[in-house]
Amino acid sequence: VPRPSVLGVDLARPTAFHLYLLACVVLAALALWRIVRSPFGHVLVGIRENEDRMRAVGYAVDRYKLAAFVVAGGIGGAAGALYTQFVGSITPDAFLWTTSGEALLMVIIGGTGTLGGALLGSGAFILLQSLVSSYTERWMLILGVTFITFVLFAPGGIVGALRGRIGLRA
């Protein structure tokens, strides 16, 4: 899959492509941040907390869930397209269950229920994977121990631990 040309800039050069990826991540994060803080996002939080109550108040819960699924699918599809451009091709290995498991680990390590947690968790996961795999082939074992440690001692993930330590607001 060839890399596109955006606004006359050839993205075949690694620096240009990485800046393009950074711009896409920032735009997606801003869009999600805006959605979370909109009335739509507040309704989704209400549905997560007490679905029956939101239905009783008069919200079309199934439509809100469908809309949230569409937004998530759009972001996921954009991420898949960017990954394909980054790698240059796509193989069936990208669709293994372990890929979904890694994404869940990233979110849990970073902190569920927060936008920043997903970013911090993915950075921590990739950093841990890169560092530990350079020393041993059993990096997955160390990652598993790290995951269990986070679940036991920091159930809110990195963001939850930072909230407790420095009073960070999400």
Side-chain angles (χ1 to χ4, degrees), residues 3-98:
R3 292 184 178 168
S5 176
V6 176
L7 301 173
V9 178
D10 183 27
L11 298 179
R13 296 178 319 154
T15 304
F17 187 72
H18 284 94
L19 289 174
Y20 166 68
L21 287 177
L22 182 64
C24 289
V25 168
V26 167
L27 286 174
L30 285 173
L32 290 173
W33 180 80
R34 181 65 188 118
I35 288 171
V36 166
R37 281 158 177 73
S38 70
F40 173 73
H42 292 294
V43 171
L44 290 178
V45 170
I47 291 171
R48 181 190 68 204
E49 297 299 326
N50 194 336
E51 184 176 334
D52 292 332
R53 179 177 290 167
M54 294 304 284
R55 187 173 281 121
V57 171
Y59 287 102
V61 171
D62 293 334
R63 288 186 185 181
Y64 278 95
K65 284 183 174 181
L66 178 62
F69 184 75
V70 168
V71 169
I75 296 291
L82 290 172
Y83 176 75
T84 303
Q85 292 171 8
F86 177 71
V87 174
S89 64
I90 195 75
T91 62
D93 290 342
F95 301 105
L96 292 175
W97 65 271
T98 55

Side-chain angles (χ1 to χ4, degrees), residues 60-144:
V61 171
D62 293 334
R63 288 186 185 181
Y64 278 95
K65 284 183 174 181
L66 178 62
F69 184 75
V70 168
V71 169
I75 296 291
L82 290 172
Y83 176 75
T84 303
Q85 292 171 8
F86 177 71
V87 174
S89 64
I90 195 75
T91 62
D93 290 342
F95 301 105
L96 292 175
W97 65 271
T98 55
T99 306
S100 299
E102 287 178 357
L104 286 174
L105 282 175
M106 291 175 190
V107 170
I108 292 170
I109 288 172
T112 58
T114 62
L115 294 176
L119 288 172
L120 285 173
S122 62
F125 181 88
I126 298 296
L127 183 66
L128 183 67
Q129 179 183 5
S130 298
L131 289 176
V132 175
S133 66
S134 65
Y135 293 110
T136 180
E137 291 180 13
R138 306 213 188 280
W139 66 270
M140 287 185 163
L141 178 67
I142 295 171
L143 180 68

